[in-house]
Amino acid sequence: MTTTAKRTLTVAAVSLVVGLVVLGLKVLAWRITGSVALYSDALESIVNVVTALVALVAVWLAQKPADAALPYGYHKAEYFSAVIVGVMIIVAAILIVREAVLGFIAPELPDAPIQGMAISVVATAINVVWALVLIRYGRRVRSVSLEADGKHLMTDVVSTAGVLVGLALVYLTGWAPLDSILAGLVALNILWSGWSVIRDSVGGLMDVAVPKDIQATIREVIATNAEGAIEAHDIRTRQAGRMTFIDFHLVVPGSMTVDAAHAICDDIEAKLREAVREVQITIHVEPEEKAKHAGIVVV
């Protein structure tokens, strides 16, 4: 296992621990106050813990090398985990809506709101720091699970901030139904978060192409490092977790030897590996009569 893989697993494991700590703090805040809004916030933290656990398993699977059963590797495990997380988020939102409706029907003012809000502020501060770590690290190593986990934590931060502002208003105005209204707003925010996670993951499962800037880099590398070839066409890319897959046809003169064509392919692959991290490349060599005059002209 590479150093990056070990570090990614460590980050995923720490995320689970952070989730448990934050969950404990938010449950404590809810138990002290009895607030429906803080209950909804604590329920979302349960989802955070499940999210972290699923992400840990997915990251571990994604590190496994390709084998006979899965010759392209286990990289898509992270997309499946992100879909599961999205579904869990939506389920949590539905449960929160239920509590919000019941609380609105029979509203009660929270107990000890100052103490509860203070504990929630501490939990939120922890989430802010860790969400930023997950998003930045997830993007750097192209871990879909860690980035999705970080985005959900940041959504949790936003919803918690809204809850705290609302509870302060409940405390100042004495209007109990506002507590349940806040819980409903949290549920809507969570629903949007869940949909976003599922939408992004489905794109990965459907073999979405790499971003346009990376596509441009790939085309430039091929064009400037295929001296001796004629053109490259039918360039296709796809993303599976942190792994990028590239395949294309390389047209060479019919008189070129296999050794010479293979050397050109080796040069292109070496430069692509420098430009695009963690990449698998397939090049199909064709004679010049197969040229389409519609791909990349070698310069």
Side-chain angles (χ1 to χ4, degrees):
M1 187 179 292
T2 64
T3 301
T4 299
K6 291 179 180 177
R7 188 177 294 117
T8 301
L9 276 173
T10 300
V11 170
V14 173
S15 189
L16 179 58
V17 174
V18 170
L20 289 169
V21 171
V22 171
L23 172 61
L25 289 171
K26 290 191 174 183
V27 169
L28 178 60
W30 162 58
R31 293 298 298 271
I32 288 174
T33 62
S35 165
V36 178
L38 287 180
Y39 170 80
S40 68
D41 203 29
L43 195 60
E44 186 177 7
S45 288
I46 294 177
V47 177
N48 292 344
V49 172
V50 175
T51 299
L53 181 59
V54 172
L56 177 60
V57 174
V59 168
W60 173 72
L61 280 174
Q63 310 301 331
K64 294 181 67 175
D67 53 32
L70 292 170
Y72 290 99
Y74 291 74
H75 312 291
K76 284 191 177 182
E78 294 200 50
Y79 291 113
F80 284 105
S81 78
V83 170
I84 293 171
V85 167
V87 173
M88 289 292 298
I89 292 171
I90 292 173
V91 170
I94 293 171
L95 293 175
I96 292 170
V97 167
R98 175 182 177 275
E99 292 300 319
V101 170
L102 293 175
F104 191 80
I105 293 172
E108 293 182 6
L109 285 172
D111 299 321
I114 300 300
Q115 294 90 324
M117 286 190 291
I119 294 171
S120 189
V121 166
V122 173
T124 301
I126 295 173
N127 268 348
V128 168
V129 173
W130 191 243
L132 292 173
V133 170
L134 286 176
I135 292 172
R136 290 174 182 173
Y137 184 79
R139 286 175 179 170
R140 182 157 63 87
V141 300
R142 290 191 289 185
S143 172
V144 177
S145 292
L146 292 183
E147 187 176 350
D149 193 7
K151 287 180 178 178
H152 177 55
L153 280 183
M154 195 56 75
T155 301
D156 186 20
V157 167
V158 173
S159 61
T160 301
V163 166
L164 291 174
V165 171
L167 280 179
L169 292 175
V170 171
Y171 176 69
L172 293 173
T173 65
W175 191 47
L178 181 58
D179 187 31
S180 297
I181 293 173
L182 288 171
L185 293 175
V186 170
L188 291 176
N189 189 46
I190 295 173
L191 278 173
W192 176 253
S193 173
W195 162 247
S196 299
V197 170
I198 292 174
R199 179 194 59 202
D200 293 343
S201 302
V202 168
L205 291 172
M206 294 296 291
D207 288 333
V208 66
V210 300
K212 289 185 178 181
D213 58 331
I214 298 180
Q215 290 185 43
T217 298
I218 290 169
R219 295 176 70 88
E220 182 181 356
V221 169
I222 294 172
T224 56
N225 292 281
E227 184 177 353
I230 298 172
E231 73 171 32
H233 58 245
D234 292 345
I235 300 171
R236 300 185 301 175
T237 63
R238 65 185 178 92
Q239 194 81 45
R242 69 182 188 282
M243 185 64 68
T244 298
F245 293 83
I246 305 170
D247 66 80
F248 61 93
H249 294 200
L250 184 70
V251 179
V252 300
S255 59
M256 181 175 286
T257 65
V258 173
D259 281 346
H262 189 268
I264 295 173
C265 292
D266 283 347
D267 288 342
I268 296 173
E269 289 185 15
K271 294 298 182 181
L272 282 173
R273 294 184 196 284
E274 291 178 6
V276 184
R277 296 171 298 167
E278 299 191 72
V279 60
Q280 289 190 18
I281 307 160
T282 303
I283 305 175
H284 178 69
V285 177
E286 295 181 331
E288 56 192 307
E289 59 265 25
K290 295 290 186 178
K292 293 185 176 181
H293 308 292
I296 300 174
V297 177
V298 177
V299 294

